[in-house]
Amino acid sequence: MNKTFITLLCAAATMTATADEITLFDFEDFNLGDAVAMRDYYSEDGTTKSKAEITSDPSGKAGKVLHVKNGSWNTLAELTLQGITAEEISEYDLIMFDLYRPDSETDDYRQFRCGIGDGFLHDVENEFLHQGAKGQWVKRTYSITPVSSTSDKFYIGFNSVDMEYYLDNIRLVSSSDDYDMNNPEETLRYHADRITVPAKIGIGCAVPAWNDDVVNDNNIAAKTIYNNFNIVVGENQMKPAYLQPKKGEFSWWDADRLVNLAQRHDMEVRGHTLVWHSQTLPWVTSDGYKNDGNGGKGYNREELLQILKDHITTVMTHYKGKIREWDVVNECLDDNQSIVYSQPTKYNLRNSVWKTVIGEDYLDSAFVYAHRADPDAILYINDYGADFKGDAKSEAYYNLVKRLLKSNIPVQGVGFQCHLGLGVDASKFENNVKRYADLGVEVSLTELDITTWNAGDYEQHIRQGEDYRALLEVALKYKHIRNFVVWGVTDDKSWRSPDPLLFKSNYKPKYAFFALRNTLEEWADRAAGIEDIEVDEQLPELSPYVDVYDITGRLVKQQLEREQINSLDPGLYIIDRKKILIR
Ligand code: XIL
């Protein structure tokens, strides 16, 4: 590997998402056998019959730990703060520690408490939580709230008469290293905009409709959006039910506000969505479909096609030139796609009003109407549960897209909603989406969110951030992947839970935010560095074998025969220190 690559890789290795963390007590300064006071936090004189002492590690490892047994209700271990004041503690939002319970323990479900002086650091009422595996050390994380206290007495423990437990490495973590969104280099968008190889990447978010804040550029919601994202989509504002609540009566107010925000801040817009079974034209599915003036049978095929055409044409004309891409048809596939096991080229459509009354060709018509209304808009099909290679619905989706293209239907983009949970297998996503390059369509992650298992669990936020990062790496790697759009901004306003997004309710960034920002920054810097090499250095003599790197400088194939270069998977590679695009 040549020197320049080594420099690039070293630079990348130093960039990781970090959070501020301090250790309050690791008990190494205590002596074995030291007693630790236990305090009843409801009684004035405090000390109780409960016992806590410093012992050796029950799992046999070196080091000292705090052992609590023979407890009584409402009783916590009392420790004296060293090197940090009560006030300074309020800068942290999580307490983390290692917990060990003997195998003999029965109950798994206890209330955790901690505090300073007589103030509870922790909002205790609802925190009866599982304490995790027994007979081994487990990591616990709880969120803490600031208290106004000047005491140096720190209290910690579980509210239980019979729980025996060991604690070690009690530390405080500030999970949201804040960022200065007025400094472009600290935002997502700044780095995304610097990326041009292998292609431009859209980094986007859905904007909640009921968020009045987006009209005010000084509001933190608006600021967070326009400072971090270069493409936005209405979470609800452009759905048929919103835009045409009554036949022929269009309501643009919320959707226009979103488009105005985008225009003020030079963001692109995804239109979502023109045809859907859900949040669809209410007068079609309720009055019209079931008991209209058509003999009780609802609109007939011709009428529904006209309704479809009118809706698509009016909406796309209203926003012509302002919307980069439209989800023309949303979620048209059925959840059951077992058909692909017996008939590998088939798919099942969902029984929506459109499919039932018009027939499968409502899809074809919708795309044709859309293309006529705005020939410059990129037309997408969009669906969920089709994200990973090997899942039946993913195969059905691929089959459907191929069928539409074969019929010369102007489908130009394929959206993968990516409503996911912790433990994402990014390689299955990669294997699924990379094959679309051969079809000549672009691909976007359109509604990404990744739920954790327990709200506020920082360990899980780290895993979540790594899942986000792995998907972004895939999106950046392929030229045909255009957008990476997250479905919302703050966790509290998401349609899913727990904790699926990049920001907390107070707009503080989570670990996932830093994971994405660092990845974008890394990518932008490396690509810039590679460009320098081409300009500055002489090419070596051509050898019959080549080392192949991906665009991030990672070795993909060693000593590949030069003639085999064209058999590489499609993508952008670095070969002989030059960018080579394999289509
Ligand atoms: C969801 C919104 O997030 C919610 O606010 C709303 O109540 C229901 O719809 N697939 C889609 C999105 O295509 O439009 C959905 O959005 C989530 C699933």
Side-chain angles (χ1 to χ4, degrees):
M1 188 183 280
N2 71 55
K3 194 165 137 274
T4 321
F5 272 117
I6 291 170
T7 323
L8 289 172
L9 291 178
C10 288
T14 58
M15 290 185 281
T16 47
T18 52
D20 196 12
E21 176 174 326
I22 58 157
T23 299
L24 285 184
F25 303 100
D26 63 9
F27 304 109
E28 297 312 314
D29 295 342
F30 289 73
N31 295 313
L32 288 176
D34 278 357
V36 170
M38 297 288 286
R39 296 278 163 183
D40 179 338
Y41 46 79
Y42 288 132
S43 100
E44 283 292 306
D45 60 352
T47 314
T48 71
K49 62 183 183 335
S50 305
K51 244 184 106 185
E53 75 175 281
I54 304 299
T55 64
S56 54
D57 186 329
S59 74
K61 288 197 206 106
K64 293 169 219 161
V65 301
L66 176 67
H67 182 197
V68 180
K69 62 180 174 182
N70 304 329
S72 60
W73 292 116
N74 309 323
T75 306
L76 304 178
E78 180 186 275
L79 297 157
T80 305
L81 292 172
Q82 311 274 342
I84 185 167
T85 63
E87 195 186 7
E88 284 162 350
I89 284 183
S90 63
E91 286 163 25
Y92 295 84
D93 62 343
L94 297 171
I95 185 156
M96 297 175 78
F97 53 88
D98 302 336
L99 172 70
Y100 182 101
R101 293 182 299 145
D103 268 334
S104 53
E105 267 281 309
T106 47
D107 201 352
D108 276 344
Y109 200 60
R110 321 270 186 153
Q111 186 186 37
F112 172 77
R113 290 194 154 182
C114 68
I116 298 175
D118 52 12
F120 289 124
L121 256 184
H122 187 248
D123 180 11
V124 290
E125 292 313 320
N126 299 314
E127 297 290 353
F128 282 91
L129 293 169
H130 288 280
Q131 265 73 66
K134 285 169 276 194
Q136 67 187 68
W137 285 101
V138 292
K139 288 187 188 305
R140 304 303 306 163
T141 309
Y142 298 97
S143 56
I144 52 176
T145 47
V147 290
S148 50
S149 172
T150 51
S151 169
D152 65 350
K153 295 293 178 248
F154 175 82
Y155 297 96
I156 186 165
F158 291 90
N159 187 9
S160 164
V161 275
D162 57 353
M163 182 172 173
E164 178 179 1
Y165 55 95
Y166 298 80
L167 299 181
D168 198 10
N169 300 320
I170 300 171
R171 49 212 193 276
L172 298 173
V173 177
S174 161
S175 66
S176 41
D177 262 354
D178 212 350
Y179 75 126
D180 174 8
M181 67 170 116
N182 296 314
N183 175 5
E185 294 191 22
E186 295 191 29
T187 67
L188 300 178
R189 178 178 183 171
Y190 171 82
H191 299 289
D193 285 345
R194 290 162 60 218
I195 295 173
T196 49
V197 282
K200 178 182 160 56
I201 186 86
I203 181 102
C205 73
V207 179
W210 47 85
N211 197 340
D212 291 341
D213 311 335
V214 296
V215 283
N216 178 356
D217 280 350
N218 290 320
N219 188 284
I220 186 154
K223 276 189 184 164
T224 301
I225 292 166
Y226 65 72
N227 280 311
N228 282 297
F229 302 98
N230 57 23
I231 184 164
V232 282
V233 53
E235 185 173 352
N236 289 289
Q237 301 88 314
M238 291 191 187
K239 291 171 179 174
Y242 277 65
L243 289 184
Q244 198 186 167
K246 293 191 181 142
K247 192 166 198 290
E249 287 181 26
F250 288 81
S251 163
W252 308 111
W253 175 248
D254 275 333
D256 282 358
R257 291 198 311 181
L258 173 76
V259 173
N260 291 340
L261 172 80
Q263 294 207 316
R264 285 200 304 281
H265 299 286
D266 200 21
M267 296 183 283
E268 292 181 317
V269 182
R270 299 197 81 241
H272 173 85
T273 174
L274 296 166
V275 192
W276 193 18
H277 65 278
S278 176
Q279 293 176 286
T280 190
L281 302 169
W283 41 276
V284 166
T285 46
S286 55
D287 307 341
Y289 179 46
K290 293 200 186 91
N291 47 31
D292 73 316
N294 194 26
K297 294 196 201 81
Y299 292 110
N300 64 29
R301 175 182 152 92
E302 279 63 43
E303 288 163 339
L304 264 196
L305 278 170
Q306 190 62 45
I307 286 167
L308 207 58
K309 183 176 180 182
D310 289 346
H311 183 78
I312 291 174
T313 310
T314 309
V315 171
M316 288 188 72
T317 306
H318 183 84
Y319 290 115
K320 204 167 178 164
K322 297 180 178 170
I323 293 197
R324 177 188 186 268
E325 64 198 49
W326 271 103
D327 285 335
V328 177
V329 177
N330 196 34
E331 302 183 351
C332 68
L333 283 175
D334 198 75
D335 285 336
N336 181 351
Q337 297 293 347
S338 47
I339 188 170
V340 300
Y341 298 124
S342 52
Q343 295 171 275
T345 60
K346 291 274 164 52
Y347 49 84
N348 270 329
L349 293 185
R350 175 193 296 274
N351 279 322
S352 66
V353 51
W354 312 107
K355 150 85 187 326
T356 313
V357 179
I358 300 174
E360 161 154 4
D361 63 332
Y362 87 89
L363 297 174
D364 308 50
S365 297
F367 278 96
V368 170
Y369 300 148
H371 187 59
R372 284 189 198 144
D374 183 357
D376 294 329
I378 311 289
L379 305 184
Y380 267 74
I381 187 164
N382 191 42
D383 219 316
Y384 67 89
D387 310 308
F388 301 109
K389 180 100 189 278
D391 293 351
K393 195 165 172 186
S394 306
E395 302 315 302
Y397 200 30
Y398 187 57
N399 295 341
L400 170 63
V401 172
K402 281 196 294 189
R403 195 294 276 164
L404 290 167
L405 292 171
K406 211 167 159 193
S407 314
N408 282 320
I409 299 305
V411 178
Q412 296 147 321
V414 180
F416 296 86
Q417 290 187 4
C418 294
H419 293 297
L420 307 174
L422 272 192
V424 173
D425 187 339
S427 67
K428 279 194 181 156
F429 177 72
E430 176 170 1
N431 288 334
N432 189 31
V433 297
K434 69 180 184 189
R435 55 186 165 166
Y436 284 84
D438 290 342
L439 303 184
V441 290
E442 64 173 53
V443 156
S444 287
L445 293 83
T446 51
E447 304 181 13
L448 175 61
D449 47 24
I450 304 177
T451 49
T452 62
W453 300 315
N454 308 100
D457 185 318
Y458 185 62
E459 302 279 343
Q460 291 170 25
H461 286 183
I462 294 175
R463 295 175 63 166
Q464 173 191 50
E466 294 307 326
D467 284 349
Y468 267 108
R469 183 206 302 276
L471 289 169
L472 178 61
E473 295 268 3
V474 175
L476 290 168
K477 186 166 159 189
Y478 291 90
K479 196 181 167 76
H480 70 294
I481 304 189
R482 183 48 162 65
N483 297 308
F484 186 90
V485 180
V486 176
W487 201 243
V489 185
T490 55
D491 281 341
D492 58 319
K493 295 206 179 78
S494 168
W495 74 305
R496 299 182 70 211
S497 72
D499 299 0
L501 298 171
L502 307 182
F503 298 90
K504 297 182 168 192
S505 58
N506 57 7
Y507 293 88
K508 297 267 189 233
K510 291 164 60 191
Y511 182 95
F513 169 89
F514 294 107
L516 294 185
R517 194 188 67 193
N518 290 342
T519 304
L520 292 167
E521 183 173 359
E522 245 171 79
W523 201 277
D525 288 349
R526 285 182 195 175
I530 286 162
E531 234 134 40
D532 290 345
I533 303 170
E534 276 191 320
V535 180
D536 295 345
E537 295 185 20
Q538 270 195 331
L539 289 179
E541 246 178 63
L542 293 183
S543 96
Y545 295 97
V546 292
D547 286 343
V548 181
Y549 299 89
D550 70 15
I551 189 72
T552 71
R554 284 191 202 114
L555 187 61
V556 179
K557 282 241 157 60
Q558 208 163 8
Q559 296 294 294
L560 180 75
E561 279 183 51
R562 188 172 290 278
E563 283 142 34
Q564 297 297 313
I565 289 178
N566 281 328
S567 64
L568 287 164
D569 285 343
L572 192 64
Y573 299 94
I574 311 293
I575 298 172
D576 292 336
R577 293 185 286 172
K578 274 192 135 173
K579 280 175 284 181
I580 310 271
L581 179 64
I582 308 292
R583 288 185 193 278

